[in-house]
Amino acid sequence: MKRENEHSSYVKERIVADVNILTSKLLEVVLAVLPITIIVAILHFTLVPLDTMLMIRFMVGAVFIVVGLSVFLLGVDIGITPIGKQMGKVVAKSNKLWIVIVAGLFLGFIISIAEPDLHILAGQVETVTDGSVPKLLLVVVVSLGIAALLALGLVRIVHNIPLFKLLTILYLIVLAVAIFTSPQFLAISFDASGATTGALTVPFILALSIGISMMKKDSKASEKDSFGMLAIVSVGAILTVMLMSIITNQDELSGGLAGNQEVSDGILAPFLYESIHITQEVLLALAPIVLIFLIFQKISFKLSKASFRKIITGLFFTFIGLILFLVGVNAGFMDLGTELGFSIASLDNKAYIVSIGFILGLVTILAEPAVYVLTTQIEDVTSGYVKRKEVLFTLAIGVGIAIGLSMLRILIPELQLWHYLLPGYLIALGLTYVVPKLFVGIAFDSGGVASGPMTATFILAFTHGAADAIQGADVIVDGFGMIAMVALTPLITLQILGLVFKWKSRKGGIPNHESR
């Protein structure tokens, strides 16, 4: 009887704790989504009146996003992250190179091929290119690249290969291959690298790398190696898409912007339509993770019944939350994003599209689920040395600049994507040699997480709408490439933040972490 009462008390305490966490996350997400909702409403009532049906769907979508993101983040905390950490420990304990490589290849492929953001981007590429680049082909090609580079990233942690040296080599290879890649595929390849580090991939890969790093005796090396994995795997997506374009000899792509007419009318119809296939995609996305967890629980993890049930509950929350979030974004935000981009770009004063693009970039990043996961882990791993709010603010500035520059590229036909990417990556790589090494991993990881589902849907739709409205702009060449810019600018802005920390440490403002 006493044991039953203790168990009942424990269950109640756990439920209360989970409810408190969910409430705090709900408040945090409301404050994150509110700015973009307010900005769109202001634009609707002042500068560009939008279709009333689209606005109602946008507001309904905002509710879906708030609830979905809150539940998803709770699920990640108690489900996905513990699985990733346990997997990392198992891989590290093996102490055999071939096991590390095979684990990286296997986990990288199944996590990437399940990433909802990648499916969103691949679907948009297939639509805009009139089927020239099939969705399944792009998903498989990107997943192969992620698998290969995840294996390389795990080897780097185990064998203490400096991140900045590895990134320098990888990006020099990217720049060399880019010479032989067409402008259309250049944009798509860099966009793919950003889209693949999304809501599902980020928490798992971060937890995996942290799990391996925790096994190290050197705490400073462990802290540094906890970050940088996302930066490495992102390169895999870029390289494989570029190589695909060279091997298939697809130099020119043609297509345009097409709406989804059968679901464009009504308020509830788009939500019902999206919920069916999104539920299937999320189910397929989570199935491999659940299967891996169950297999390793039997042969290796051997967690207690309470821990096992908690992780299963977390996976269920992740499933429900991700469905609600993606339904809200796809059904409520995408059509309005295209309409908003087209309407603002059609105005006589073209300064509006650049400035509003900057503002939207500034606030959209606050609603990205992967950003919350990364910034929280940065604060946790560094024991509060790097504050979450500082990273968020710097990240928001970088993404705002990225969207503004992307709008400028649409307005000026002579301005090509590589004009941004080449000097941008050279600056980012140059900074890796002078900033504290902890910030190298943080910056390059942040570039990957900045381009999540909100960016891959709402902002990409906004960019496509703007490109469709501007005479002389190409929806494929100019419409894509925005995610690439979003993935680039945080590499620079967050490393500059690292230089600020370095300067402060020399002035005696904070503890000296120069050796990091």
Side-chain angles (χ1 to χ4, degrees), residues 49 73 83 135 177 188 289 300 318 400 408 432 444 482 503 515:
L73 290 171
I83 294 174
K135 177 181 175 179
V177 177
I188 292 170
I289 298 174
S300 180
T318 304
L408 201 61
T432 65
F444 277 82
M482 177 277 300
W503 179 76
S515 60

Side-chain angles (χ1 to χ4, degrees), residues 286-330:
L286 287 175
I289 298 174
V290 175
L291 189 61
I292 288 171
F293 171 62
L294 293 176
I295 291 171
F296 275 85
Q297 166 65 8
K298 192 76 174 173
I299 63 174
S300 180
F301 297 165
K302 301 191 185 302
L303 300 170
S304 65
K305 286 184 178 180
S307 298
F308 177 79
R309 282 197 296 266
K310 189 173 184 180
I311 288 177
I312 292 296
T313 304
L315 289 170
F316 177 72
F317 285 158
T318 304
F319 174 70
I320 298 298
L322 201 50
I323 290 171
L324 291 173
F325 177 82
L326 290 174
V327 167
V329 170
N330 281 272

Side-chain angles (χ1 to χ4, degrees), residues 67-187:
V67 176
L69 185 51
S70 303
V71 174
F72 169 79
L73 290 171
L74 176 62
V76 166
D77 279 356
I78 64 177
I80 299 291
T81 299
I83 294 174
K85 285 182 179 178
Q86 289 293 334
M87 285 299 302
K89 289 176 183 177
V90 169
V91 172
K93 280 180 181 176
S94 69
N95 207 25
K96 292 180 180 178
L97 187 62
W98 71 269
I99 291 179
V100 173
I101 293 172
V102 170
L105 290 170
F106 176 68
L107 293 173
F109 186 80
I110 65 166
I111 294 299
S112 178
I113 207 164
E115 175 55 56
D117 285 10
L118 179 57
H119 284 265
I120 291 169
L121 178 71
Q124 288 180 319
V125 170
E126 184 179 56
T127 301
V128 173
T129 61
D130 291 335
S132 299
V133 183
K135 177 181 175 179
L136 182 61
L137 175 64
L138 189 60
V139 169
V140 170
V141 165
V142 169
S143 298
L144 288 170
I146 296 299
L149 270 293
L150 181 61
L152 180 62
L154 294 179
V155 171
R156 179 195 80 83
I157 294 176
V158 172
H159 289 275
N160 297 311
I161 300 169
L163 177 65
F164 70 101
K165 291 182 180 179
L166 183 57
L167 288 176
T168 301
I169 294 167
L170 289 173
Y171 275 103
L172 286 176
I173 293 170
V174 166
L175 294 174
V177 177
I179 297 169
F180 307 98
T181 308
S182 67
Q184 290 98 328
F185 270 101
L186 185 70

Side-chain angles (χ1 to χ4, degrees), residues 190-214:
F190 276 89
D191 278 3
S193 77
T196 198
T197 45
L200 198 62
T201 311
V202 167
F204 190 85
I205 291 180
L206 274 176
L208 182 67
S209 58
I210 288 171
I212 294 177
S213 301
M214 281 169 63

Side-chain angles (χ1 to χ4, degrees), residues 335-451:
D335 286 347
L336 184 129
T338 305
E339 179 72 19
L340 187 65
F342 186 91
S343 300
I344 295 172
S346 300
L347 296 172
D348 292 333
N349 189 346
K350 300 305 178 188
Y352 280 124
I353 191 68
V354 179
S355 55
I356 291 171
F358 172 79
I359 294 167
L360 285 176
L362 206 66
V363 298
T364 301
I365 192 67
L366 300 177
E368 289 288 10
V371 167
Y372 276 81
V373 176
L374 177 67
T375 51
T376 301
Q377 290 209 7
I378 288 170
E379 192 167 73
D380 289 346
V381 171
T382 62
S383 303
Y385 164 61
V386 183
K387 298 288 188 296
R388 186 170 169 274
K389 288 182 179 179
E390 292 168 343
V391 178
L392 263 178
F393 176 76
T394 311
L395 202 52
I397 294 293
V399 174
I401 293 169
I403 307 298
L405 290 175
S406 296
M407 295 305 112
L408 201 61
R409 185 167 68 90
I410 291 171
L411 294 172
I412 305 171
E414 294 79 19
L415 203 55
Q416 295 181 38
L417 182 61
W418 71 267
H419 292 156
Y420 289 144
L421 296 184
L422 181 60
Y425 275 103
L426 288 176
I427 291 169
L429 289 172
L431 285 170
T432 65
Y433 288 84
V434 294
V435 303
K437 296 301 173 276
L438 171 65
F439 280 88
V440 174
I442 289 174
F444 277 82
D445 277 359
S446 298
V449 304
S451 45

